[in-house]
Amino acid sequence: MHESASARGVGWLTPVAEVGLLRAAATLGWHLARANPYAACLSLGMTTDCARRLAQMGLRDLEERVQRRAASCRLRWEDTPSIWRQLLEAAVAGAGSQLDA
C-alpha cells in the first residue's frame, strides 16, 4: 500500500481535500459502473471485474471504504502538482479547450 501524499510531504492538498477528492472520484466511478460499466472501464481504466464489484456496492459501503482506504490511495502524477493545478483551473474557468490539450 502507498502512503497518502500528505504523509510523504507532497503537501499541495490538505488531508481533508485528499479525502474529498477520493470521495468524489469513488462516487463518480460507482455511479458510472452502475449506469454504464463499459464507460467506467473505458474512462476510468478499471477492469470489468472492478466495475462489477463497484456497481454491487451500496453507497454507504463505498463511503466506509473511502474512509478506511484514504490513507493508502495516492493521486497519479502527485509529484507534478502543476498538471493538477492546470486541469483544475481550466475546469473551474469552464475552459474546455484547455482540457483537451
Side-chain angles (χ1 to χ4, degrees):
M1 290 195 182
H2 300 92
E3 298 175 75
S4 70
S6 60
R8 288 188 306 275
V10 174
W12 65 279
L13 278 177
T14 66
V16 171
E18 285 178 353
V19 173
L21 185 57
L22 176 58
R23 181 180 292 110
T27 303
L28 171 65
W30 174 82
H31 177 72
L32 200 51
R34 292 173 70 96
N36 188 337
Y38 298 110
C41 293
L42 182 63
S43 63
L44 300 175
M46 61 177 80
T47 65
T48 54
D49 186 50
C50 178
R52 181 186 53 77
R53 289 180 184 192
L54 191 57
Q56 291 174 344
M57 271 186 202
L59 197 51
R60 188 173 301 173
D61 296 329
L62 182 68
E63 174 62 25
E64 289 172 5
R65 191 160 296 201
V66 165
Q67 289 300 323
R68 277 197 321 266
R69 301 286 187 152
S72 65
C73 292
R74 62 187 177 100
L75 296 170
R76 185 173 290 184
W77 307 308
E78 67 188 358
D79 57 343
T80 52
S82 62
I83 290 172
W84 288 102
R85 188 170 292 111
Q86 289 171 356
L87 288 171
L88 291 170
E89 287 172 356
V92 168
S97 62
Q98 290 179 18
L99 296 172
D100 294 334

